[in-house]
Amino acid sequence: MNNKLFTKIKSIAFLVTLFFCCTSLYSQSAMTNVESRNTTNLNGDWTVIIDPTGTGDWRQVWKEKKPEKKTDFYEYSFEGSPTMKVPGDFNSQMVEITYLEGIVWYKKEFTHTTKSNKRNFIHFGAVNYVADVYLNGEHIGSHEGGFTPFQFEITDKIKSGKNALVVKVNNKRLKNGLPSLGFDWFNYGGITRDVNLIETSKCYIEDYHIQLEKHSDNEVLGWVQLNGVSKSEKVKIKIPELNIEYETISNKNGLAEVKFSGEFELWSPQNPKLYSVIIKSKNDEVTDEIGFRTIEIKGKEVLLNNKPIFFKSVNIHEENPYKAAKAYSEEDALILLNWAKELGCNMVRLAHYPHSEHMVKLAEKMGLMVWSELPVYQHIEFSNPDVPQKMDLMMKEMIRRDRNRAAVVLWSLSNETYSFTENRDNALIELTKQCKLLDDTRLITHVINNQGYDNNTFNVWDTLYNHVDIIALNEYLGWYVPWQGKPSETKWKFVNDKPVFISEFGGESLYGSNYGPKDEAASWSEEYQEKIYQDQIEMFNNVPNLIGVCPWILVDYRSSGRMHPVYQKGYNRKGLISENGEKKKSWYIMKEYFQTENN
Ligand code: GCB
């Protein structure tokens, strides 16, 4: 092994070790690839206690006390309480709590047989926003953040026979939360993703990175992290389809360096090729479906597998339009991603937080590149010392879950933050550095919307643009900002010469609206929205370094701040499709544009 490579692997190894040390300060990082583990699924009906005033803490409902003496009584009980489906948001499951931003207590009983040579974990795909987890009356841990997985080891706490799991879920907005107090989507609370009880061997495969080395289309450079090792252990990686059988050895902290080569058929939207990859240690084995591809910047272009690519993307919120509920399943993902394919997309921007693993894995199988984003959205309290720590942890959780997904080509670390917010630059530049250290194989961006527009000229500036791989900008010409000249004559000044991605544009319309003159915004007409799309497309032709566009948004979605009683009714109406699945006129404009952009 040459010296340079060895140093690089060492530094990755160091960072990975550092990563585990850091994350353990806050909560346990979830093991990756739950699908391939020995799991007992705890989805289904859970009993719930609605607690809008937060009284449950004081009454200690997790203790589930029952009257023993004639004079005893307790003013709560899971017995006789209603049930709710997990996964799923609580707001859409009980009409009385449609707008609840507060506490719901969940309870699930399960039976188990303990085994002395096994370890047990309780794993949550996501809980929005703060989760406090109790097992058999004991607090086992908390997690903050509504869109990333977490787990707790319960080996010493789980019993043979009946066990009771209680989760306090609180979706109250926090000033120092991510996102903070204001955001333009519905605040679906609850245990919104899968819950699994996982059984592993004493020493198990916790995580791994098996992806192509940057700039290479045949060298895999990565690592496998074992948990529970007492001494070095052999690790094998097999890719049967390519006859690859690679063996490595972990250090005594369980970290094994990985380096091998293969003649891979590369993953791309046209050919979303995935290989079965088997990772084996002495007592554990996981299988993953992994794709191999390269993504990099060359001057003003983005290259996918060494060829320039134009991102035909669409913004998507994690909502099932037909159910007006949080999307969580593969079926939900299929509805949304089928539309993205039909529109002619090769990418989806999963706004504005990490979507479920089902969504990312399905996108990958369907040949859609994924833009994955942190909910560092608009007015974040960067000056609060907790906030940078929360961002850092959430970023690690996001990367950890999806770092083996070839479809994920870009980490978006923030959306529409403001340069005048105290400590924003420091916090986000540091986050960017950490992101690069954890994963230098993908592109990184921050999305900005407050560029200047004067005299039909854009002045695109922001300190953060000096730290990103691509300039991502949101602009709403024709909707929030009137045109100041002909779209085709719009001029652009950029702070640097990087590739440019228009990550949001659009305007509102109510499907079928027939209420007023169609050339007025306040008619909410499809024609007005259609014109915005026609003008934008005219403008795109003259945007220097343009490497992708992404309309806001695929489907009308719930957002309580959208209060117009006739046109909005609690929906952001910038969808190309209505919440009933009807395609608006702008859909066809966008579809045609994507058809004419060839790649
Ligand atoms: C934006 C935001 C997005 C909003 C959208 C809108 O710039 O990034 O989250 O929902 O505008 O509809 O105003």
Side-chain angles (χ1 to χ4, degrees):
M1 196 180 293
N2 69 38
N3 273 350
K4 217 170 126 201
L5 182 62
F6 185 70
T7 319
K8 185 166 180 189
I9 289 180
K10 281 283 168 215
S11 67
I12 293 175
F14 170 73
L15 282 165
V16 173
T17 314
L18 199 68
F19 167 46
F20 289 111
C21 298
C22 293
T23 53
S24 64
L25 291 178
Y26 305 98
S27 65
Q28 292 176 9
S29 313
M31 66 184 84
T32 45
N33 193 2
V34 173
E35 217 181 325
S36 167
R37 313 281 179 164
N38 179 8
T39 57
T40 306
N41 188 263
L42 298 183
N43 291 349
D45 289 326
W46 289 50
T47 320
V48 295
I49 295 176
I50 317 294
D51 183 14
T53 57
T55 317
D57 274 320
W58 175 68
R59 296 196 193 283
Q60 301 188 309
V61 303
W62 62 90
K63 291 198 170 157
E64 292 191 76
K65 291 206 178 138
K66 306 265 166 13
E68 285 168 8
K69 302 195 290 293
K70 279 189 184 265
T71 51
D72 283 353
F73 62 91
Y74 294 100
E75 297 186 58
Y76 69 87
S77 170
F78 281 103
E79 265 167 50
S81 282
T83 59
M84 278 199 196
K85 293 279 180 218
V86 169
D89 67 274
F90 56 61
N91 305 87
S92 68
Q93 295 193 56
M94 202 182 271
V95 73
E96 297 85 339
I97 59 165
T98 302
Y99 296 104
L100 178 70
E101 297 199 344
I103 297 166
V104 172
W105 296 84
Y106 285 74
K107 183 190 160 187
K108 181 83 174 171
E109 281 185 358
F110 61 92
T111 49
H112 179 75
T113 309
T114 55
K115 297 179 193 124
S116 60
N117 59 343
K118 297 289 178 197
R119 293 168 72 181
N120 298 98
F121 299 84
I122 185 86
H123 180 282
F124 294 84
V127 173
N128 191 32
Y129 176 78
V130 175
D132 276 284
V133 182
Y134 299 82
L135 184 68
N136 301 327
E138 188 188 338
H139 189 247
I140 56 168
S142 316
H143 179 264
E144 179 178 338
F147 310 99
T148 43
F150 59 96
Q151 73 179 31
F152 301 104
E153 178 156 14
I154 52 172
T155 311
D156 300 335
K157 299 183 174 78
I158 194 166
K159 301 183 295 198
S160 270
K162 214 159 66 171
N163 289 269
L165 184 65
V166 170
V167 186
K168 174 191 170 194
V169 180
N170 193 346
N171 70 333
K172 188 174 167 6
R173 295 167 196 237
L174 299 178
K175 192 151 183 272
N176 66 0
L178 301 175
S180 182
L181 302 179
F183 44 93
D184 183 27
W185 65 86
F186 197 89
N187 185 16
Y188 290 111
I191 305 181
T192 49
R193 295 188 190 152
D194 303 301
V195 184
N196 281 292
L197 181 64
I198 308 177
E199 187 176 87
T200 70
S201 49
K202 287 284 176 204
C203 172
Y204 71 96
I205 298 163
E206 185 177 74
D207 191 12
Y208 47 87
H209 177 88
I210 299 178
Q211 292 277 284
L212 287 176
E213 184 182 4
K214 200 176 169 75
H215 307 307
S216 170
D217 59 10
N218 67 344
E219 292 284 330
V220 169
L221 181 68
W223 44 263
V224 174
Q225 177 69 48
L226 306 176
N227 183 310
V229 281
S230 47
K231 54 180 177 13
S232 296
E233 264 200 30
K234 271 190 199 153
V235 175
K236 285 187 188 151
I237 296 172
K238 292 191 201 165
I239 308 183
E241 201 181 325
L242 296 174
N243 289 324
I244 291 176
E245 290 212 9
Y246 169 79
E247 198 172 297
T248 177
I249 189 144
S250 83
N251 65 17
K252 58 181 184 338
N253 296 322
L255 184 71
E257 296 152 3
V258 169
K259 167 132 187 91
F260 62 87
S261 55
E263 289 307 310
F264 300 106
E265 216 179 285
L266 299 180
W267 184 97
S268 70
Q270 294 79 11
N271 179 25
K273 171 73 189 158
L274 300 176
Y275 291 93
S276 268
V277 178
I278 303 159
I279 302 136
K280 226 171 147 17
S281 64
K282 192 167 154 221
N283 296 310
D284 198 11
E285 178 174 323
V286 292
T287 304
D288 205 343
E289 300 298 311
I290 297 186
F292 299 90
R293 55 99 194 93
T294 63
I295 185 89
E296 52 196 328
I297 305 288
K298 194 167 175 209
K300 301 166 190 173
E301 289 183 321
V302 178
L303 308 185
L304 176 75
N305 301 330
N306 283 319
K307 286 196 222 93
I309 180 105
F310 187 81
F311 294 113
K312 303 174 194 177
S313 189
V314 68
N315 281 288
I316 302 184
H317 261 302
E318 197 173 39
E319 186 170 283
N320 179 323
Y322 300 122
K323 294 185 184 157
K326 181 84 178 159
Y328 55 80
S329 62
E330 196 177 53
E331 293 73 46
D332 292 337
L334 196 60
I335 297 173
L336 299 163
L337 296 176
N338 270 340
W339 277 328
K341 285 296 274 189
E342 197 185 330
L343 188 63
C345 294
N346 58 16
M347 176 191 241
V348 284
R349 176 179 179 217
L350 302 183
H352 282 300
Y353 38 77
H355 288 210
S356 78
E357 217 169 339
H358 296 297
M359 187 79 169
V360 177
K361 286 190 168 174
L362 189 63
E364 184 164 70
K365 284 188 198 136
M366 291 171 72
L368 288 160
M369 290 178 277
V370 169
W371 164 311
S372 185
E373 187 159 292
L374 286 179
V376 177
Y377 181 89
Q378 295 185 351
H379 297 280
I380 296 291
E381 211 189 358
F382 293 106
S383 58
N384 181 320
D386 294 342
V387 168
Q389 284 191 357
K390 289 184 191 182
M391 290 192 310
D392 190 62
L393 179 58
M394 208 179 271
M395 179 182 74
K396 284 168 177 159
E397 290 174 342
M398 169 176 84
I399 294 179
R400 186 176 168 101
R401 194 193 71 182
D402 289 341
R403 66 181 317 142
N404 291 299
R405 302 281 67 83
V408 177
V409 292
L410 187 141
W411 304 121
S412 167
L413 302 182
S414 68
N415 178 71
E416 299 190 349
T417 60
Y418 305 109
S419 56
F420 53 80
T421 312
E422 196 188 332
N423 200 38
R424 184 208 69 159
D425 283 1
N426 277 341
L428 290 183
I429 292 169
E430 183 55 29
L431 191 70
T432 316
K433 278 189 202 152
Q434 293 306 320
C435 185
K436 270 191 199 139
L437 288 173
L438 280 174
D439 180 12
D440 71 347
T441 67
R442 291 176 172 85
L443 310 179
I444 299 179
T445 200
H446 291 274
V447 180
I448 310 290
N449 70 326
N450 59 343
Q451 50 279 330
Y453 174 63
D454 199 19
N455 205 10
N456 207 17
T457 304
F458 267 102
N459 183 12
V460 180
W461 64 276
D462 196 298
T463 327
L464 292 181
Y465 283 147
N466 293 324
H467 300 266
V468 296
D469 292 311
I470 61 170
I471 290 190
L473 65 98
N474 297 346
E475 51 81 16
Y476 281 89
L477 284 185
W479 185 249
Y480 294 127
V481 180
W483 292 96
Q484 295 173 3
K486 282 193 184 160
S488 57
E489 289 169 8
T490 311
K491 294 188 188 49
W492 296 82
K493 283 190 215 151
F494 287 103
V495 60
N496 56 38
D497 207 21
K498 295 183 177 178
V500 173
F501 190 117
I502 299 189
S503 36
E504 287 180 31
F505 63 95
E508 301 217 2
S509 79
L510 174 66
Y511 175 78
S513 175
N514 225 342
Y515 291 99
K518 295 185 184 316
D519 60 348
E520 289 178 11
S523 67
W524 258 263
S525 69
E526 283 184 61
E527 286 77 1
Y528 197 87
Q529 189 192 36
E530 182 185 32
K531 181 77 170 68
I532 295 175
Y533 274 79
Q534 285 162 338
D535 289 346
Q536 286 279 343
I537 287 171
E538 217 179 298
M539 181 186 75
F540 294 158
N541 295 328
N542 293 315
V543 181
N545 303 1
L546 191 68
I547 51 94
V549 299
C550 189
W552 187 265
I553 189 168
L554 183 64
V555 197
D556 288 355
Y557 64 96
R558 293 176 72 196
S559 179
S560 311
R562 304 293 177 171
M563 300 179 295
H564 196 285
V566 178
Y567 305 108
Q568 294 180 306
K569 298 188 170 144
Y571 277 83
N572 182 317
R573 296 254 174 239
K574 294 190 189 70
L576 300 171
I577 302 177
S578 78
E579 78 277 25
N580 299 316
E582 297 133 332
K583 287 165 184 148
K584 301 184 193 171
K585 291 188 189 307
S586 51
W587 159 278
Y588 298 98
I589 304 294
M590 211 52 226
K591 187 173 159 119
E592 197 189 321
Y593 173 70
F594 281 157
Q595 268 163 3
T596 54
E597 281 293 322
N598 47 16
N599 66 44

